[in-house]
Amino acid sequence: MLKCGGSVKGFATYQCLDCGQGKYKVNFSCKGKTCPQCKKRYAWESIVTIGVCLFPRVSYRQVVLTLPEKLRIPFHNHSNQKHLYSGSMVLSEACLSKLIQAHFKSNVCKIADIVFIHTNICNGNYNPHSNVILAEGALFSSN
């Protein structure tokens, strides 16, 4: 028989009730998309699933680009939010593309990415941000 010694960051510790010896660490997950611990796993699994469909054997990263707090209210109250959301996704891709081109010191390389926008964060507050699934490296037309 085991007695639970409490849980911390996705792990529960158990100890034997008969002899009091041994401590066992058991991993657990609520599998909730809003749980701070489990959503990381959910996001990573989504990246892997999408990545396999795009370019097999390529590693991917998640990049989050958030709108500055000063711009959130004007952004929220704008009469054509659809246009702003679309523009922010294009801008996100352009910024990352320029960053990768600067890293490789080449203007001819391209990036492989998927950009999508979220308008709220986990607690429900309005916080428009771009989530980007970005392939590591760059694509060169020469090879």
Side-chain angles (χ1 to χ4, degrees):
M1 171 85 64
L2 296 174
K3 173 182 103 175
C4 180
S7 62
V8 177
K9 289 193 176 187
F11 290 97
T13 57
Y14 291 90
Q15 186 174 11
C16 178
L17 285 176
D18 294 332
C19 66
Q21 298 295 313
K23 285 192 176 184
Y24 303 93
K25 210 177 205 186
V26 179
N27 188 10
F28 70 90
S29 168
C30 72
K31 297 177 180 57
K33 293 179 186 177
T34 58
C35 169
Q37 196 65 26
C38 299
K39 73 179 176 184
K40 292 176 191 173
R41 188 172 132 217
Y42 175 77
W44 177 249
E45 287 172 355
S46 297
I47 290 171
V48 169
T49 301
I50 292 169
V52 167
C53 296
L54 295 176
F55 296 107
R57 300 181 309 276
V58 172
S59 297
Y60 293 86
R61 298 279 177 175
Q62 180 182 16
V63 179
V64 179
L65 302 171
T66 304
L67 188 68
E69 194 169 349
K70 289 180 182 179
L71 298 176
R72 291 180 193 158
I73 291 174
F75 208 87
H76 184 266
N77 295 333
H78 194 274
S79 61
N80 192 354
Q81 282 185 337
K82 183 178 178 181
H83 179 71
L84 290 179
Y85 291 143
S86 177
S88 69
M89 290 192 299
V90 170
L91 185 59
S92 297
E93 194 276 336
C95 289
L96 289 171
S97 183
K98 288 291 183 189
L99 181 69
I100 298 298
Q101 288 174 350
H103 175 75
F104 285 105
K105 297 178 178 81
S106 170
N107 291 333
V108 296
C109 64
K110 304 283 185 202
I111 62 172
D113 64 339
I114 296 174
V115 181
F116 50 99
I117 196 149
H118 285 166
T119 56
N120 295 73
I121 55 177
C122 294
N123 65 8
N125 289 344
Y126 182 73
N127 180 2
H129 56 281
S130 296
N131 281 297
V132 183
I133 299 174
L134 178 67
E136 290 184 350
L139 304 171
F140 293 87
S141 58
S142 60
N143 57 7

